Amino acid sequence: MYYDLHTHTVWSDGELEPSALVAHAARAGVRVLALTDHDTTDGVHEAAVAAYELGLQFVPGVELSVTWQGLTVHIVGLGVDVANADLKQALLGLRSKRLQRGQAIVQALEVAGLGDARATLERAGIVSRVHIADWLVAEGHARNRATAFKRFLTRGGVGYVTGEWAELGETVAWILSAGGDAVLAHPTRYRLSGGRLQQLVQGFAEAGGTALEVVTAGLDAGEMGRLARLAHRYDLYASVGSDFHKVLPWRSLPGGLPNLPEGCRPIWERWSLPSYAQEVC
Ligand code: AMP
Ligand code: MN
Ligand code: MN
Ligand code: MN
């Protein structure tokens, strides 16, 4: 699979700078790459320049935080115009909500006697629980990031604060009005029952959503098949993305991420890409 349409950099909660991400993707054999940081497009320019220099096809993108029926879900925008005024305004709003949530988490940790994590809010990129988790690890409160999330930053933890993000419909509208395609990211990761997942996909499709992320890291053939059928049922295209955050493993190494199941309409059929990119998949 030479496409990777879901990746992160230091501008959100990834480990690599945009140019390093692009170089890494190129080494891994990716030919068409989208950068989709959480709630920011600040890494897109650097990544686009690096991709041009290395001969990769680059797709400017973003992964937006959405609250749907009290639950956080993620919508990826692909091929968005990062200069679009509505999108820029929306991202500013989401980042401000992230800062407010961050402040509430930091305060809760302080009240719980875990120390002063205010420095984690002072970043050039977005404020994310990941950076607070890393602080908890550095302070010796947790063994690793996963434990920090589990013990402190998810439901039941002293530092758990519910995020209130954007609405599903308005999020899809922002992406479409910025000229992009809207993709429901990692649909199986919300741990929804079959019925509720169907409800989410239906709401997404009715809002004008474009595609489901049918291939992402860690899915088995059965799960991908179910997502492919859901996409077909709601007349949605299918996307592919590793959700790369850090080096090792790059899951979209050729052969690393599986191909789309039979019968899927790849989202890139909607784009005009050079012929080599069409041929390899
Ligand atoms: P936020 O968007 O600030 O709420 O942080 C969510 C991000 O944290 C996700 O995009 C993942 O990259 C990461 N994440 C979520 N859950 C975990 C976990 N249990 N362990 C490690 N990272 C996680
Ligand atoms: Mn993330
Ligand atoms: Mn996500
Ligand atoms: Mn992601």
Side-chain angles (χ1 to χ4, degrees), residues 13 38 65 74 98 101 127-130 145-146 149-150 165 245:
D13 55 356
H38 297 283
S65 308
H74 289 167
R98 280 185 168 278
R101 181 191 59 164
V127 171
S128 162
R129 281 183 296 169
V130 164
R145 206 186 257 182
F149 264 90
K150 196 162 190 278
W165 312 117
H245 284 76

Side-chain angles (χ1 to χ4, degrees), residues 192-263:
L192 298 171
S193 65
R196 271 194 95 208
L197 178 58
Q198 203 170 305
Q199 233 184 313
L200 170 61
V201 172
Q202 185 173 353
F204 172 73
E206 282 170 2
T210 318
L212 288 192
E213 202 170 69
V214 170
V215 171
T216 187
L219 297 189
D220 62 31
E223 290 168 313
M224 288 185 289
R226 269 195 295 282
L227 291 176
R229 284 194 294 280
L230 256 184
H232 185 258
R233 174 162 182 182
Y234 291 100
D235 203 19
L236 296 166
Y237 286 82
S239 188
V240 172
S242 64
D243 203 6
F244 173 84
H245 284 76
K246 55 186 171 164
V247 179
L248 283 181
W250 180 280
R251 298 185 181 104
S252 139
L253 272 168
L257 271 184
N259 288 340
L260 283 169
E262 285 291 307

Side-chain angles (χ1 to χ4, degrees), residues 132-145 148:
I132 300 174
D134 288 349
W135 178 86
L136 286 162
V137 174
E139 293 294 306
H141 298 306
R143 209 164 7 101
N144 53 39
R145 206 186 257 182

